[in-house]
């Protein structure tokens, strides 16, 4: 999906963007507030203007991907099946114009060209136990650190079992402290540190002239839950005594969920030793309200700035992944329609039971709708042998494309919510005189939360532009 670059926007432009976002979100809040599994129970299709229904009805999934979500399709020119109403065209253009672009300045990451599961840019020991997505993320965050020029790195949990902290310390030779609330994850991280140290030790014996960049400096792990309301002493404690002037701390959080990202921002602004911040958020629905959003004085004064739980949940979209499914028109797209049909049956039997979790029904696309409903009823503790209205279920099934179209519409708008949350963070930092940018440095196909907020206390000049390309490593 096209979008606007967050880079280089003036304070005035950032503020105006926030104004426009809150206006647009107020207008289309109902689409974003909807739950797709209530498509039939809440007649979501009927909530759309008739002219939109006409335009979207009958569009197949690949057409939705290209015509609505702006994904590249066959040919350069989008061929509309019918004349779209101006309101829908305007919504589409507005969504493209107001969302921060998620497209990095590189195409597919070249590191996986030869082998899709092994990054050619990471040494083998640093790839062990690490999924390709994580390999890409830790490598790219390593480049961010390089651009920022910090020697110390403080991670509020890098990656689940500490992959980022391990790479930053043993791979890049930084002093790293890593804070994680879950003791079991800390223990697992320490175990993996030891394993890597042994591997590196063996390699060095075999190859003594190898540069000993890591010099066996493993990360310092701390098991501690960081309270978002206060400053955490552990973050403020120096890693170890250092020669004067050496303390250049980078605070980083990779997919630090909910308030944890906000806590990092607060520590960055209150702690003089922290000179830079690299933060990738996730799980926006876990943000406290108030406290986690809004942070900036500017956004807090705008009418309609509020973002409900549902809106923040929708902001954790995986747009490119869904668009790719649309383009393939795979049978997996059926799941939302089946689940929405199941909800009608559940409501009929138990009107008070709303949107219960029905995870893990295998191979949904191979099931008939009634088989799916029976399994779903069993999952939520209802009688799977209930007599079903087959004609009604079939009628729901016939509307599968409408369900997909409605979901695509919500997905078109979801990046606006994420943009507003991240823009608020940029404005918060700017209000305190710091320099901050938001850069899509991960491939969005690999890593849906791919916008990295980078902040510094001194102007960084051109370093940010280098970050946007794939060759920051060449620095
Ligand atoms: C969503 S996971 C991200 C994991 C990893 N960074 C990734 O990208 O896969 C967030 C991690 O942060 C930890 N965490 C969340 N809030 C925290 C807090 N307030 N204090 C300490 N750890 C926290 C959780 O235990 C979890 O391991």
């Amino acid at each position: 999906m096209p979008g606007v670059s967050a880079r280089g926007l003036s304070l005035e432009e950032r503020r105006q963007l926030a104004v426009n976002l809150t206006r647009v979100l107020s207008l289309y809040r109902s689409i974003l507030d909807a739950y797709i599994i209530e498509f039939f129970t809440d007649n979501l299709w009927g909530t759309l203007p008739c002219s939109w229904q006409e335009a979207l009805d009958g569009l197949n999934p690949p057409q939705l991907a290209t015509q609505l979500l702006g994904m590249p399709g066959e040919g350069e020119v989008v061929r509309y099946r019918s004349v779209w109403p101006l309101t829908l065209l305007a919504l589409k253009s507005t969504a493209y114009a107001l969302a921060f672009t998620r497209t990095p300045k590189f195409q597919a990451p070249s590191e996986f060209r030869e082998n899709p599961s092994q990054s050619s840019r990471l040494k083998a020991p640093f790839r062990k136990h690490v999924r390709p997505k994580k390999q890409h993320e830790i490598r790219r965050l390593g480049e961010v650190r390089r651009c920022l020029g910090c020697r110390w790195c403080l991670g509020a949990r890098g990656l689940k079992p500490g992959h980022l902290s391990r790479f930053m310390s043993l791979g890049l030779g930084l002093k790293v402290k890593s804070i994680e609330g879950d003791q079991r994850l800390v223990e697992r991280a320490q175990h993996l540190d030891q394993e890597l140290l042994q591997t590196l030790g063996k390699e060095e014996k075999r190859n003594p002239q190898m540069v000993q960049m890591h010099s066996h400096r493993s990360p310092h792990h701390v098991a501690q839950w960081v309270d978002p309301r206060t400053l955490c002493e552990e973050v403020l404690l120096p890693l170890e005594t250092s020669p004067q002037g050496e303390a250049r701390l980078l605070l980083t959080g990779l997919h630090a969920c909910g308030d944890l990202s906000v806590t990092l921002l607060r520590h960055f602004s209150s702690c003089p030793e922290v000179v830079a911040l690299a933060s990738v958020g996730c799980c926006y629905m876990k943000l406290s309200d108030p406290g986690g959003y809004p942070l900036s004085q500017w956004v807090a004064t705008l009418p309609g700035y509020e973002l409900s739980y549902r809106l923040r949940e929708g902001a954790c979209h995986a747009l490119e992944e869904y668009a790719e499914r649309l383009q393939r028109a795979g049978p997996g797209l059926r799941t939302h329609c089946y689940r929405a049909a199941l909800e009608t049956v559940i409501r009929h039997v138990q009107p008070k039971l709303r949107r219960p979790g029905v995870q893990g029904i295998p191979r949904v696309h191979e099931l008939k709708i009634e088989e799916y409903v029976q399994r779903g009823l069993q999952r939520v503790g209802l009688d799977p042998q209930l007599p079903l209205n087959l004609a009604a279920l079939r009628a729901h099934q016939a509307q599968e494309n409408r369900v997909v179209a409605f979901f695509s519409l919500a997905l078109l708008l979801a990046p606006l919510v994420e943009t507003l949350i991240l823009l608020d963070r940029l404005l918060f930092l700017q209000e305190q005189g710091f320099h901050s940018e938001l850069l899509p440095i991960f491939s969005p196909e690999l890593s849906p939360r791919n916008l990295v907020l980078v902040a510094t206390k001194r102007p960084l000049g051109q370093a940010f532009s280098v970050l946007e390309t794939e060759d920051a490593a060449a620095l």
Side-chain angles (χ1 to χ4, degrees):
M1 189 175 115
V4 59
S5 171
R7 274 208 64 219
L9 293 182
S10 66
L11 176 62
E12 226 12 79
E13 287 166 330
R14 284 180 175 178
R15 285 181 165 170
Q16 189 54 48
L17 181 58
V19 171
N20 293 342
L21 283 164
T22 48
R23 282 195 192 141
V24 172
L25 289 173
S26 302
L27 281 173
Y28 299 105
R29 205 162 276 267
S30 62
I31 297 175
L32 285 161
D33 257 329
Y35 286 90
I36 198 66
I37 61 181
E38 295 183 326
F39 185 83
F40 300 117
T41 52
D42 289 28
N43 185 20
L44 295 185
W45 190 249
T47 63
L48 298 179
C50 293
S51 57
W52 291 25
Q53 293 179 15
E54 262 174 52
L56 297 174
D57 213 2
L59 287 186
N60 62 34
Q63 287 168 332
L64 284 167
T66 48
Q67 298 183 16
L68 195 63
L69 297 181
M71 295 298 167
E74 283 170 26
E76 292 284 296
V77 184
V78 175
R79 292 188 197 287
Y80 291 95
R81 201 178 51 91
S82 62
V83 178
W84 278 25
L86 286 178
T87 47
L88 186 55
L89 288 170
L91 171 71
K92 179 175 128 169
S93 306
T94 307
Y96 294 177
L98 299 187
F100 285 149
T101 182
R102 302 163 45 69
T103 315
K105 289 207 169 139
F106 52 87
Q107 298 272 308
S110 60
E111 63 197 308
F112 297 111
R113 230 169 257 154
E114 280 162 32
N115 184 336
S117 58
Q118 305 287 333
S119 166
S120 57
R121 291 184 169 212
L122 282 182
K123 291 198 181 123
F126 292 94
R127 299 191 302 241
K128 197 171 172 196
H129 305 297
V130 188
R131 287 186 294 138
K133 171 181 189 283
K134 301 292 167 207
Q135 293 176 23
H136 176 63
E137 291 167 353
I138 62 176
R139 185 183 71 72
R140 293 291 282 154
L141 273 183
E143 286 164 12
V144 172
R145 193 282 314 170
R146 213 189 284 237
C147 293
L148 294 169
C150 305
R151 292 204 208 145
W152 288 11
C153 177
L154 192 64
R157 183 32 107 219
L159 282 167
K160 269 185 183 144
H163 296 314
L164 177 65
S165 11
R166 196 167 307 109
F167 175 64
M168 292 266 190
S169 56
L170 296 170
L172 302 181
L174 300 171
K175 292 178 194 164
V176 175
K177 186 193 278 184
S178 172
I179 303 174
E180 161 62 54
D182 186 332
Q183 173 74 33
R184 284 163 314 162
L185 291 177
V186 172
E187 284 164 17
R188 172 87 181 128
Q190 286 166 332
H191 172 79
L192 292 178
D193 291 351
Q194 287 312 312
E195 197 182 293
L196 180 59
L197 276 169
Q198 279 177 7
T199 311
L200 294 175
K202 280 184 202 158
E203 269 192 16
E204 278 169 17
K205 269 195 197 143
R206 273 200 305 270
N207 190 2
Q209 62 271 45
M210 198 171 102
V211 187
Q212 297 195 358
M213 182 213 260
H214 25 77
S215 63
H216 306 302
R217 190 193 270 158
S218 47
H220 173 53
H221 292 282
V222 179
Q224 183 171 331
W225 199 259
V226 182
D227 182 344
R229 290 159 304 181
T230 55
L231 288 182
C232 170
E233 287 217 357
E234 193 55 64
V235 174
L236 302 177
L237 281 177
L239 291 161
E240 57 190 63
T241 42
S242 63
Q244 254 196 337
E246 200 197 345
R248 286 180 55 79
L249 252 70
L250 161 68
L251 203 54
T252 180
L254 176 52
H255 300 146
C257 46
D259 287 336
L260 188 56
S261 286
V262 176
T263 310
L264 294 185
L265 260 69
R266 293 222 163 92
H267 280 79
F268 166 77
S269 65
S270 330
C271 179
E273 295 87 352
V274 182
V275 294
L277 170 84
S279 155
V280 191
C282 79
C283 305
Y284 302 120
M285 63 283 190
K286 293 187 190 162
L287 287 170
S288 314
D289 185 16
Y293 168 89
L295 299 177
S296 69
Q297 291 168 11
W298 179 257
V299 172
T301 57
L302 297 177
Y305 73 81
E306 297 89 352
L307 298 173
S308 66
Y309 181 93
R310 174 68 199 120
L311 255 70
R312 287 182 278 125
E313 190 181 41
C316 306
H317 55 86
L319 188 127
E320 291 75 14
E321 194 253 350
Y322 191 76
E324 208 242 327
R325 283 165 63 192
L326 289 175
Q327 275 161 332
R328 279 188 285 112
L333 289 171
R334 174 170 306 161
T335 311
H336 281 148
C337 178
Y338 273 23
R339 178 64 188 84
L342 168 65
E343 192 72 6
T344 63
V345 182
I346 295 174
R347 284 294 159 89
H348 186 67
V349 189
Q350 282 254 3
K352 287 207 174 133
L353 189 55
R354 285 175 180 244
R355 306 188 299 270
V358 189
Q359 270 86 41
I361 299 183
R363 309 191 75 77
V364 170
H365 56 281
E366 288 175 8
L367 300 177
K368 290 188 183 147
I369 192 163
E370 59 272 25
E371 291 169 338
Y372 172 87
V373 168
Q374 283 165 339
R375 289 185 200 189
L377 287 171
Q378 195 165 24
R379 290 275 151 117
V380 301
L382 295 172
D383 179 6
Q385 300 309 327
L386 274 175
L388 297 174
N389 181 342
L390 281 183
L393 289 181
R394 298 259 184 276
H396 290 328
Q397 188 169 6
Q399 295 190 57
E400 183 185 311
N401 272 5
R402 289 182 178 179
V403 179
V404 174
F406 192 93
F407 191 77
S408 304
L409 205 50
L411 216 48
L412 173 71
L413 294 170
L416 299 181
V417 183
E418 184 174 30
T419 297
L420 181 57
I421 293 171
L422 298 177
L423 179 62
D424 171 55
R425 292 178 185 177
L426 288 177
L427 285 165
F428 165 75
L429 291 168
Q430 198 160 7
E431 281 169 3
Q432 297 173 71
F434 302 128
H435 306 270
S436 57
E437 292 288 358
L438 203 58
L439 311 165
I441 69 159
F442 304 148
S443 154
E445 288 82 14
L446 280 173
S447 187
R449 301 281 65 71
N450 75 334
L451 289 159
V452 181
L453 192 160
V454 184
T456 52
K457 292 185 175 163
R458 279 189 301 196
L460 250 184
Q462 286 308 302
F464 284 131
S465 42
V466 186
L467 277 174
E468 282 188 298
T469 66
E470 220 204 348
D471 283 317
L475 276 179

